[in-house]
Amino acid sequence: MEFIAAIQSNLLSPPVLFFVLGVFAAVSKSDLKFPEALYSTLTIYLLTAIGFKGGVAIQEAGIGAVWLPALAAMILGGLIPLWTYPALRKLGKLSMADSGAIAAHYGSVSAVTFIAATNFLKSINQPYESYATAFLAVMESPAIIVGVMLGKGALSGKFSFSDQSMRHALRDAVLGKGVLLLIGAMIIGTLCGKRGMDSVEGFFVTPFQGVLALFLLEMGMVAGRRLGDLRKVGVFLLIFGITAPIVHGSAGVLLGTWVGLSVGGATLLGVLAGSASYIAAPAAVRLSLPEANPTYSLTAALAITFPFNITAGIPLFFEMAKLLQS
Amino acid sequence: MEFIAAIQSNLLSPPVLFFVLGVFAAVSKSDLKFPEALYSTLTIYLLTAIGFKGGVAIQEAGIGAVWLPALAAMILGGLIPLWTYPALRKLGKLSMADSGAIAAHYGSVSAVTFIAATNFLKSINQPYESYATAFLAVMESPAIIVGVMLGKGALSGKFSFSDQSMRHALRDAVLGKGVLLLIGAMIIGTLCGKRGMDSVEGFFVTPFQGVLALFLLEMGMVAGRRLGDLRKVGVFLLIFGITAPIVHGSAGVLLGTWVGLSVGGATLLGVLAGSASYIAAPAAVRLSLPEANPTYSLTAALAITFPFNITAGIPLFFEMAKLLQS
Amino acid sequence: MEFIAAIQSNLLSPPVLFFVLGVFAAVSKSDLKFPEALYSTLTIYLLTAIGFKGGVAIQEAGIGAVWLPALAAMILGGLIPLWTYPALRKLGKLSMADSGAIAAHYGSVSAVTFIAATNFLKSINQPYESYATAFLAVMESPAIIVGVMLGKGALSGKFSFSDQSMRHALRDAVLGKGVLLLIGAMIIGTLCGKRGMDSVEGFFVTPFQGVLALFLLEMGMVAGRRLGDLRKVGVFLLIFGITAPIVHGSAGVLLGTWVGLSVGGATLLGVLAGSASYIAAPAAVRLSLPEANPTYSLTAALAITFPFNITAGIPLFFEMAKLLQS
Amino acid sequence: MKLVTIVCEAILEERVVELLREAGAHGHTAFPVHGSGGQGERHADISETANVQLQVIVKPAVAETVLARLQGELFQQYAMVAYESDVRVLRPDKF
Amino acid sequence: MKLVTIVCEAILEERVVELLREAGAHGHTAFPVHGSGGQGERHADISETANVQLQVIVKPAVAETVLARLQGELFQQYAMVAYESDVRVLRPDKF
Amino acid sequence: MKLVTIVCEAILEERVVELLREAGAHGHTAFPVHGSGGQGERHADISETANVQLQVIVKPAVAETVLARLQGELFQQYAMVAYESDVRVLRPDKF
Ligand SMILES: Nc1ncnc2c1ncn2[C@@H]1O[C@H](COP(=O)(O)O)[C@@H](O)[C@H]1O
Ligand SMILES: Nc1ncnc2c1ncn2[C@@H]1O[C@H](COP(=O)(O)O)[C@@H](O)[C@H]1O
Ligand SMILES: Nc1ncnc2c1ncn2[C@@H]1O[C@H](COP(=O)(O)O)[C@@H](O)[C@H]1O
Ligand code: NA
Ligand code: NA
Ligand code: NA
């Protein structure tokens, strides 16, 4: 009952509804188009805003409280490709490159899904560790590196670290704009603390939810354009796109509970583990695993897993965490 | 006396003054230039913001209170071209296409003029039906369709619905970004209601007036570049650009009063009827009536009628509504 | 002691730290890139916001209180190139054009440095004349005109006002977007006053500090890309880039105190005099003194003087003003 | 192989792309531009007055069709310029 | 007909357009670009370092004038590249 | 002199510029574009699907190297088109 109510309240929030509007705009072939500059600007804004807020939260909680769950989150991110990859190879009969690419996307994380989850928790007045943004920041890179190594043949010994495209992938995973802005803003937030926050709150906090809604309008259009590709990716990836978040999300909730996070914090770790990247991973993977078909990973991440998480996944992981900690 | 004061307070508001600054920038050939991406972003922002706010207002008022005046507004929009077109043909000796194009612009509406009018009402503490945005949304399309039909020879039987360019016009009038964002955001606002508004108020409400001022700076530049065209459009269109808003505005005020709107609401319907579109109409009309000279319609709408409405028209329609309902 | 604390508080503010992040992004060759449209938008926003706020302050203080210090500021701006130019010619052995170009940059002013200074004063609760923006506005142009004249050979009589490129420089110095937006918004603010401010505060004030932080992220990237040029500009310009702000800043503080400004106001005049332009001057100078190497002026202004002012210069000028007025 | 370049009002983009496809082109490249011409200045800041430049690599026969159709259907009524030049492509069978 | 392409510092745009008009061109097309050359890298994020590409279709004689004037008046002092190629246009009398 | 034009996925820009430099080009010009081709539509609104167009003026021998390396290293795996044409440049020794 409560679960249904939670889903409902999640569905009727501006970000989700603007996502639906974006899908409609794409499907109906409206002439609505976001300029590229707006998309990058929204990305830059969202990443610096959550990074900065997370940093302030870390400063308040103290690094001592953060490092253990952050380390656990990071390890989880790096491990996910290790079971995702063989599953895609064996069950999905996908190529090495495609399996590595998809594994990289699913081990990495989606910032927007994370924000939607914090909104959900706030809307039902569920407290959570607000330094959880740190998990988001440290989970972006490891899976990309591991996934690319697998996709390049690490298991069959074909892979070498000195490979030029591997160097590109490493640099992108570590210095790519996503990671740089998140971690950079987080460090700035940690250094500035509450006092710095007071000065920039009117920009990084006040309009945040509305900016997110606008961003999701655009994401809806991008996802809507990919709906036609659903047929191309086949039934296996469709099932994978829903099973993977459930499995990874459960693992995240379990791990979160185990390292001592609250119900809210464990939910967030579940959401992160269950989410798939579509900002950091695609560029790094495209450059280093060019044989992989980006249609597979992007369509699965953006047109299947993202909508699933934002509607059903978030409340699901929350109910799991509640159950586990009751 | 009061009328003069009302005009004055309207003239000394940031949006109007930024419009003037924009005109100056264009006329003085300053190197100030807005990037295209900024203009689209401002448009997207303003349309979603007023749509969303309107939707929340509709939810609060109940659809029962809205449908009748909205229907009246829609019909008025569709009717305006029916007298504007023959006037332009007979009195202005304009071609079929030009007459249809201008009629479409003047039957459709200007969102920015509407916002300026709500600002004016707020500044003099005059209450109004805040669901009036619904009128704005439903008045965008009908006149475009009717105007294009007339311009394509509907009166002389030359016109057919299966015409390819007519299909383009219909799609643009109904799925064009203006209508899509306005109606889409309105529906989202209706679904989310007050609670959704609370979460996005810091984006859709707090900075709204300032964003409008910035937008008008750009509109001023666009209008300023058209000032040179005033000579080309001739005296007839100059007179038309001031007569049309007065006539249509009066009709709107009358109709609004008749369907039971308050002084504020009737003023707004007057402003909508009296305003001419320069966002939705130009693209749809250009594609479907290519023989029409866009200089005529755009210069009249943007460089004559828009400044007239924003300075004199709004207080005029307000005084009319007050007189009528006193 | 206090001086150290002031520097520290200045260093740990979001704008300064985001600047550092930008430098890091450029130096580490991250793929972070701001779209051009975002940079222009931020510039337009910052200039209109400070102009408007300054105008409201002028209206509150009355033009009578503003004109004298503003005139003094303007004259100071025009004089600075007169000693900077010979110093660059004689001591730096730079060409006529290069000396004129650099003199123009250092006589003109940096809006962002000015804002950082007002932030600094606010953070230590030091009051200042809030109409000081007027100084910023009037100090942009004179030095550009004087510097260009010097660079074109005014001293050796080679120069003529009817020169085509001189006309370009004059127009750019007076109608360039920087000056136009600043002065335009200031006049609008003066006309609207407090009441106009109330309506647009949510846009021009609330998010201002955060927008500044974002802008400095971009400035950091631009400065970071110039770090490599530090070697090219040579030791002399390095020393000049730190000496000039100290000398000019001291002159500004003295002059400010002399015309009756408070400690805060004298600090701001010092900061303006000590700052070097990198928005208005570069374009005007490039067009009118093409023989000048822009690497010299831009690198000195942006990669040496700007970071110096924002970290050490601002607190230094403040301590000077305090000492002088105690 | 021929490179056909078309500069026209931005709102025509979709329609011209359709025309190119019908004429036998297998791809195209486009980007926003501004400019001036017989119909006056066209500024890029608002989409109503912006231009777009389309470039398409096609076989000579397709180039003929494209130019003929542009001339017949759009040249009279819209701000527009089109021209053709020779290019050497890799993988000519692709076009 | 000749297509003259000019890549130069963005702040020169107005001045080059003036030069083109004086040389006898009846229109032009322009758009922002970035790049690198003898004068180093030119990034598009701030207008001070951005480039612009101008394209203009003109009669061969006008092309000569344009290139000669560019060489004489601007090449020494600004980051700039210009080249010319042959194109076949519809309605040649327009240019 | 030859003008080589390359249209490819935006994320490849840095890598292609590197390749051009290695092949002997002394500069390049680039700008964002969108389009369609064998690998489907490429929209410019998000950088993941955006294209970039690179233009480079080089000596004929360098053009050969560039096209050969593009064909060998990138054509199989990425959305990409490249072509070459003749241009007449001012100051040919610059390229
Ligand atoms: N001579 C020309 N060279 C290059 N581009 C041109 C030329 N003439 C026109 N154009 C472009 O084509 C568009 C439409 O031209 P028009 O129909 O002559 O107004 C202009 O806005 C320019 O972008
Ligand atoms: N070989 C080249 N091929 C294409 N574009 C070039 C080339 N060299 C220079 N450019 C462009 O012209 C601009 C100015 O060149 P330069 O004056 O050599 O610095 C550069 O920023 C590039 O956009
Ligand atoms: N025939 C063509 N004419 C012009 N541009 C093309 C053509 N085919 C492909 N392109 C461009 O090259 C990109 C990659 O092409 P493709 O690898 O065929 O998908 C497309 O997105 C277009 O921007
Ligand atoms: Na994940
Ligand atoms: Na109307
Ligand atoms: Na100065």
Side-chain angles (χ1 to χ4, degrees):
Chain A
M1 225 47 313
E2 234 178 284
F3 181 58
I4 300 292
I7 289 199
Q8 221 167 38
S9 122
N10 201 30
L11 285 181
L12 287 186
S13 70
V16 173
L17 292 172
F18 272 102
F19 182 82
V20 175
L21 180 60
V23 172
F24 175 78
V27 170
S28 67
K29 300 211 177 296
S30 155
D31 67 343
L32 178 62
K33 240 187 296 182
F34 271 40
E36 201 278 327
L38 176 53
Y39 178 78
S40 337
T41 300
L42 293 174
T43 310
I44 291 170
Y45 172 83
L46 292 174
L47 292 171
T48 45
I50 47 179
F52 188 81
K53 276 184 281 188
V56 174
I58 290 176
Q59 205 231 31
E60 282 173 357
I63 207 74
V66 182
W67 76 267
L68 178 66
L71 187 69
M74 196 169 146
I75 292 172
L76 177 60
L79 291 179
I80 286 176
L82 295 183
W83 67 72
T84 312
Y85 177 82
L88 290 158
R89 288 286 280 157
K90 298 281 149 61
L91 304 177
K93 313 247 172 283
L94 290 171
S95 75
M96 227 161 65
D98 280 325
S99 303
I102 299 173
H105 282 74
Y106 277 81
S108 187
V109 289
S110 151
V112 175
T113 312
F114 175 77
I115 303 171
T118 61
N119 284 348
F120 170 76
L121 294 176
K122 268 182 244 157
S123 80
I124 58 168
N125 295 316
Q126 178 70 37
Y128 60 88
E129 289 78 0
S130 48
Y131 56 74
T133 316
F135 311 161
L136 169 65
V138 298
M139 284 178 87
E140 286 239 33
S141 318
I144 299 179
I145 298 169
V146 176
V148 168
M149 286 169 61
L150 291 170
K152 284 186 123 26
L155 294 186
S156 48
K158 278 198 215 130
F159 155 87
S160 130
F161 259 111
S162 57
D163 181 342
Q164 190 207 13
S165 68
M166 193 61 213
R167 285 207 320 275
H168 275 287
L170 277 172
R171 210 192 64 185
D172 252 55
V174 175
L175 285 177
K177 60 173 175 257
V179 181
L180 184 112
L181 285 176
L182 254 185
I183 305 229
M186 208 163 73
I187 293 175
I188 293 176
T190 313
L191 292 173
C192 291
K194 182 85 188 53
R195 201 172 129 184
M197 178 50 107
D198 286 344
S199 72
V200 295
E201 195 160 19
F203 180 65
F204 283 134
V205 178
T206 314
F208 186 83
Q209 295 301 328
V211 177
L212 179 67
L214 206 62
F215 185 74
L216 280 173
L217 176 56
E218 164 72 10
M219 295 308 296
M221 286 192 277
V222 177
R225 291 201 297 254
R226 299 238 152 231
L227 281 188
D229 290 338
L230 279 184
R231 228 159 317 135
K232 288 190 216 154
V233 303
V235 176
F236 172 74
L237 270 189
L238 241 148
I239 297 173
F240 176 84
I242 290 177
T243 320
I246 299 181
V247 175
H248 301 166
S250 313
V253 171
L254 267 168
L255 182 67
T257 303
W258 187 63
V259 297
L261 294 175
S262 70
V263 169
T267 305
L268 290 178
L269 191 52
V271 167
L272 284 169
S275 73
S277 168
Y278 41 83
I279 292 186
V285 168
R286 185 84 188 105
L287 279 173
S288 45
L289 288 176
E291 318 86 307
N293 185 347
T295 299
Y296 291 166
S297 42
L298 257 178
T299 306
L302 193 58
I304 306 173
T305 302
F306 175 65
F308 169 76
N309 276 331
I310 224 164
T311 51
I314 294 173
L316 179 69
F317 304 139
F318 168 64
E319 294 295 327
M320 277 186 192
K322 225 169 48 178
L323 212 78
L324 216 68
Q325 300 200 14
S326 67
Chain B
M1 228 38 326
E2 234 178 284
F3 181 58
I4 301 293
I7 289 198
Q8 221 167 39
S9 123
N10 202 29
L11 285 181
L12 287 186
S13 69
V16 173
L17 291 171
F18 272 103
F19 181 83
V20 175
L21 180 60
V23 172
F24 175 78
V27 169
S28 67
K29 300 211 178 298
S30 155
D31 69 341
L32 177 63
K33 241 186 296 182
F34 270 41
E36 202 278 329
L38 176 53
Y39 177 77
S40 339
T41 300
L42 293 174
T43 310
I44 291 170
Y45 172 82
L46 291 174
L47 291 172
T48 45
I50 45 179
F52 188 81
K53 277 184 280 187
V56 174
I58 291 177
Q59 206 230 31
E60 283 172 357
I63 206 76
V66 182
W67 75 268
L68 178 66
L71 187 69
M74 197 170 146
I75 292 172
L76 178 60
L79 292 179
I80 285 176
L82 295 183
W83 67 70
T84 311
Y85 176 82
L88 290 159
R89 287 286 281 158
K90 298 278 149 61
L91 304 177
K93 313 246 173 283
L94 291 171
S95 76
M96 227 162 65
D98 281 324
S99 303
I102 299 173
H105 282 75
Y106 277 81
S108 188
V109 287
S110 151
V112 175
T113 312
F114 175 78
I115 303 171
T118 60
N119 283 349
F120 171 76
L121 294 176
K122 267 182 246 156
S123 79
I124 57 167
N125 293 315
Q126 178 70 38
Y128 60 87
E129 289 78 359
S130 49
Y131 56 74
T133 315
F135 311 161
L136 169 64
V138 298
M139 283 179 87
E140 286 239 32
S141 318
I144 299 179
I145 298 169
V146 175
V148 168
M149 284 169 62
L150 291 168
K152 285 185 122 28
L155 294 186
S156 48
K158 279 198 215 132
F159 155 87
S160 130
F161 259 112
S162 58
D163 182 342
Q164 191 206 12
S165 68
M166 193 61 211
R167 285 207 321 274
H168 275 288
L170 278 171
R171 210 192 65 185
D172 252 56
V174 175
L175 285 177
K177 60 173 174 258
V179 181
L180 185 111
L181 285 176
L182 254 185
I183 304 228
M186 209 164 71
I187 294 174
I188 292 175
T190 314
L191 292 173
C192 292
K194 181 84 187 56
R195 200 172 130 186
M197 178 51 106
D198 287 343
S199 72
V200 294
E201 194 160 20
F203 180 66
F204 283 134
V205 178
T206 313
F208 187 83
Q209 295 300 328
V211 177
L212 179 67
L214 207 62
F215 185 74
L216 279 172
L217 177 57
E218 163 72 10
M219 295 309 296
M221 287 192 277
V222 177
R225 291 201 298 253
R226 298 239 153 230
L227 280 189
D229 290 338
L230 278 185
R231 228 159 317 135
K232 288 190 218 155
V233 303
V235 177
F236 172 75
L237 270 189
L238 240 149
I239 297 171
F240 176 84
I242 290 178
T243 319
I246 298 181
V247 174
H248 301 167
S250 312
V253 171
L254 267 169
L255 182 67
T257 303
W258 188 63
V259 297
L261 293 175
S262 71
V263 168
T267 304
L268 291 178
L269 191 52
V271 167
L272 285 169
S275 73
S277 168
Y278 42 83
I279 293 185
V285 168
R286 185 83 188 105
L287 279 172
S288 45
L289 288 176
E291 317 86 307
N293 184 347
T295 300
Y296 291 166
S297 41
L298 257 178
T299 306
L302 194 58
I304 307 173
T305 301
F306 175 65
F308 170 76
N309 276 331
I310 225 164
T311 52
I314 294 173
L316 180 69
F317 304 139
F318 168 63
E319 294 295 329
M320 278 186 191
K322 226 169 46 181
L323 212 78
L324 215 70
Q325 300 200 15
S326 67
Chain C
M1 229 40 324
E2 235 178 282
F3 181 58
I4 301 293
I7 290 199
Q8 220 167 40
S9 122
N10 201 30
L11 285 180
L12 287 186
S13 69
V16 173
L17 292 171
F18 272 103
F19 182 83
V20 175
L21 180 60
V23 172
F24 175 78
V27 169
S28 67
K29 300 212 177 297
S30 156
D31 68 343
L32 178 62
K33 240 186 298 183
F34 271 40
E36 201 278 326
L38 176 53
Y39 178 78
S40 339
T41 300
L42 293 174
T43 310
I44 291 170
Y45 172 83
L46 292 174
L47 292 171
T48 45
I50 46 179
F52 187 81
K53 275 184 282 186
V56 174
I58 290 176
Q59 206 232 29
E60 282 173 355
I63 206 77
V66 181
W67 77 267
L68 178 67
L71 186 69
M74 197 170 146
I75 293 172
L76 179 60
L79 292 179
I80 286 176
L82 294 183
W83 67 71
T84 312
Y85 176 83
L88 290 158
R89 287 286 281 158
K90 299 279 148 65
L91 305 176
K93 314 246 171 285
L94 291 171
S95 75
M96 226 161 66
D98 280 326
S99 302
I102 299 173
H105 282 75
Y106 277 80
S108 186
V109 287
S110 151
V112 175
T113 312
F114 174 78
I115 303 171
T118 61
N119 284 348
F120 171 74
L121 294 177
K122 267 182 246 157
S123 81
I124 58 167
N125 293 315
Q126 177 71 37
Y128 60 89
E129 289 78 0
S130 48
Y131 57 75
T133 316
F135 312 161
L136 169 65
V138 298
M139 284 180 87
E140 285 239 33
S141 319
I144 299 179
I145 297 170
V146 175
V148 168
M149 285 169 61
L150 291 169
K152 284 185 124 26
L155 295 185
S156 48
K158 278 199 215 129
F159 154 85
S160 130
F161 258 113
S162 58
D163 181 342
Q164 191 207 13
S165 68
M166 193 62 211
R167 284 207 321 274
H168 275 288
L170 278 172
R171 210 192 64 185
D172 252 56
V174 175
L175 285 177
K177 60 171 175 260
V179 181
L180 184 112
L181 285 175
L182 254 186
I183 304 229
M186 209 164 71
I187 294 175
I188 293 176
T190 314
L191 292 173
C192 292
K194 181 86 189 52
R195 201 172 129 187
M197 178 51 107
D198 287 344
S199 72
V200 295
E201 195 160 19
F203 180 66
F204 282 134
V205 178
T206 314
F208 187 84
Q209 294 301 329
V211 177
L212 179 67
L214 207 62
F215 185 75
L216 280 172
L217 177 56
E218 164 72 10
M219 294 309 295
M221 286 192 277
V222 178
R225 290 201 297 253
R226 299 239 152 229
L227 281 188
D229 290 338
L230 279 184
R231 228 158 317 135
K232 287 190 218 156
V233 304
V235 177
F236 171 75
L237 271 189
L238 239 148
I239 298 172
F240 176 84
I242 291 177
T243 319
I246 298 181
V247 174
H248 301 168
S250 313
V253 171
L254 267 169
L255 181 68
T257 304
W258 188 62
V259 297
L261 293 176
S262 71
V263 168
T267 305
L268 291 179
L269 191 52
V271 167
L272 284 169
S275 73
S277 168
Y278 41 83
I279 292 186
V285 168
R286 185 84 188 106
L287 279 173
S288 45
L289 289 176
E291 318 86 306
N293 184 347
T295 300
Y296 291 166
S297 42
L298 257 177
T299 306
L302 193 58
I304 306 173
T305 302
F306 176 65
F308 170 75
N309 276 331
I310 224 164
T311 51
I314 294 173
L316 180 68
F317 304 139
F318 168 64
E319 295 294 328
M320 278 187 192
K322 225 169 48 178
L323 213 76
L324 215 69
Q325 300 200 13
S326 66
Chain D
M1 213 60 60
K2 295 288 181 184
L3 170 68
V4 176
T5 303
I6 304 155
V7 183
C8 65
E9 306 183 21
I11 50 159
L12 283 182
E13 178 168 349
E14 205 187 323
R15 191 142 153 217
V16 172
V17 170
E18 223 174 283
L19 186 155
L20 294 174
R21 210 176 294 129
E22 287 168 14
H26 297 125
H28 78 284
T29 295
F31 50 96
V33 300
H34 54 282
S36 67
Q39 316 225 5
E41 289 193 16
R42 301 206 34 103
H43 295 267
D45 58 348
I46 68 168
S47 52
E48 282 76 20
T49 62
N51 279 348
V52 70
Q53 175 161 331
L54 296 117
Q55 298 176 168
V56 58
I57 303 168
V58 284
K59 297 199 184 62
V62 175
E64 285 310 314
T65 319
V66 166
L67 292 176
R69 283 198 55 187
L70 288 175
Q71 175 124 36
E73 297 170 29
L74 297 169
F75 261 47
Q76 254 68 51
Q77 306 176 326
Y78 293 102
M80 185 174 249
V81 152
Y83 50 92
E84 178 198 274
S85 60
D86 291 306
V87 293
R88 188 170 74 88
V89 300
L90 294 178
R91 304 182 294 178
D93 45 303
K94 183 185 159 87
F95 299 96
Chain E
M1 213 60 59
K2 294 288 181 185
L3 170 68
V4 177
T5 303
I6 304 155
V7 183
C8 66
E9 306 184 20
I11 50 158
L12 283 182
E13 178 169 349
E14 206 188 322
R15 189 142 156 216
V16 173
V17 170
E18 223 174 284
L19 187 155
L20 295 175
R21 211 176 293 129
E22 287 168 14
H26 297 126
H28 78 285
T29 295
F31 50 96
V33 300
H34 54 280
S36 68
Q39 315 225 6
E41 290 193 16
R42 303 208 30 104
H43 295 267
D45 57 350
I46 69 168
S47 51
E48 283 75 20
T49 61
N51 279 348
V52 70
Q53 176 161 332
L54 296 115
Q55 298 176 170
V56 57
I57 303 169
V58 283
K59 298 199 183 64
V62 176
E64 283 311 313
T65 318
V66 166
L67 292 176
R69 284 197 56 185
L70 289 175
Q71 176 125 34
E73 298 169 30
L74 297 169
F75 261 48
Q76 255 68 52
Q77 307 176 326
Y78 293 102
M80 185 174 249
V81 153
Y83 50 92
E84 176 198 274
S85 61
D86 292 304
V87 293
R88 189 171 73 90
V89 300
L90 293 179
R91 305 182 292 176
D93 45 303
K94 183 186 159 88
F95 299 95
Chain F
M1 212 60 60
K2 295 289 181 184
L3 170 69
V4 177
T5 304
I6 304 155
V7 183
C8 66
E9 306 183 21
I11 50 159
L12 283 182
E13 178 169 347
E14 205 186 325
R15 191 142 153 216
V16 172
V17 170
E18 223 175 284
L19 186 155
L20 295 175
R21 210 175 295 132
E22 288 169 14
H26 297 127
H28 79 284
T29 296
F31 50 95
V33 300
H34 54 281
S36 68
Q39 314 224 7
E41 290 192 16
R42 301 206 34 104
H43 296 267
D45 58 349
I46 69 169
S47 52
E48 282 76 19
T49 62
N51 278 348
V52 70
Q53 175 162 330
L54 297 116
Q55 297 175 170
V56 57
I57 303 169
V58 284
K59 298 199 183 64
V62 176
E64 284 311 313
T65 318
V66 167
L67 292 176
R69 283 198 55 186
L70 288 176
Q71 175 124 38
E73 297 170 29
L74 297 170
F75 261 47
Q76 255 69 51
Q77 306 176 326
Y78 294 102
M80 185 173 250
V81 152
Y83 51 92
E84 178 199 273
S85 60
D86 291 305
V87 293
R88 187 171 73 91
V89 299
L90 293 179
R91 305 181 292 177
D93 44 302
K94 183 186 158 90
F95 299 95

